[in-house]
């Protein structure tokens, strides 16, 4: 059973930075696309960014300036760096992955990590 485990969330002051991580239970080379979503209180889950196995990153237009997605294959981990945090960034951040090969057609989600931006 493939698992994704997020970490790194917490309480941050406006203007601060935070990096959340998503560690997979096996090599992330079994996923053809990984990404980060977020869900704010009372809102639907929304896409933040995705990253391909060769590191090509794409962002939702409104997220391009302050969000950076990256991956570290040796650690089976992807990251989301968030800079200049704003209160509206408060949300649960979820890791998502789509499998290839023996995991073809499978989609995985982590349990989420809470990011709260408040003074």
């Amino acid at each position: 059973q493939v698992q994704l485990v997020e970490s790194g969330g917490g309480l941050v002051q406006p203007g601060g930075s935070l990096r959340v991580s998503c560690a997979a239970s096996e090599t992330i080379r079994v996923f053809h696309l990984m990404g980060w979503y977020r869900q704010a209180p009372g809102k639907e889950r929304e896409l933040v960014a995705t990253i391909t196995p060769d590191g090509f990153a794409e962002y939702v237009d409104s997220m391009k300036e302050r969000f950076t997605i990256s991956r570290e294959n040796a650690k089976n981990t992807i990251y989301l760096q968030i800079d200049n945090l704003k209160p509206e960034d408060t949300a649960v951040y979820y890791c998502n992955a789509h499998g290839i090969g023996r995991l073809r057609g499978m989609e995985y989600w982590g349990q989420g990590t809470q990011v709260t931006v408040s003074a």
Side-chain angles (χ1 to χ4, degrees):
Q1 179 75 14
V2 175
Q3 290 186 326
L4 304 175
V5 180
E6 300 96 333
S7 62
L11 175 63
V12 186
Q13 291 188 343
S17 296
L18 193 69
R19 187 177 78 164
V20 292
S21 304
C22 169
S25 57
E26 58 182 278
T27 175
I28 57 176
R29 297 183 189 278
V30 299
F31 305 118
H32 77 88
L33 190 70
M34 298 186 74
W36 287 96
Y37 287 71
R38 70 181 185 181
Q39 187 166 18
K43 295 188 177 181
E44 293 187 353
R45 192 173 297 188
E46 62 176 349
L47 176 66
V48 176
T50 60
I51 190 165
T52 64
D54 58 2
F56 178 74
E58 289 190 292
Y59 302 87
V60 171
D61 284 346
S62 61
M63 314 282 187
K64 286 181 178 179
E65 289 189 2
R66 300 185 297 112
F67 294 77
T68 305
I69 189 172
S70 61
R71 61 190 290 150
E72 190 170 3
N73 291 339
K75 294 186 176 181
N76 301 329
T77 299
I78 67 168
Y79 305 96
L80 183 70
Q81 174 77 27
I82 315 170
D83 297 316
N84 189 21
L85 279 154
K86 302 178 179 182
E88 52 263 40
D89 295 321
T90 295
V92 178
Y93 285 74
Y94 296 93
C95 179
N96 173 267
H98 294 263
I100 57 174
R102 63 181 176 86
L103 302 181
R104 184 181 181 86
M106 301 296 291
E107 183 178 17
Y108 301 92
W109 291 92
Q111 83 291 346
T113 186
Q114 176 71 48
V115 173
T116 302
V117 185
S118 175

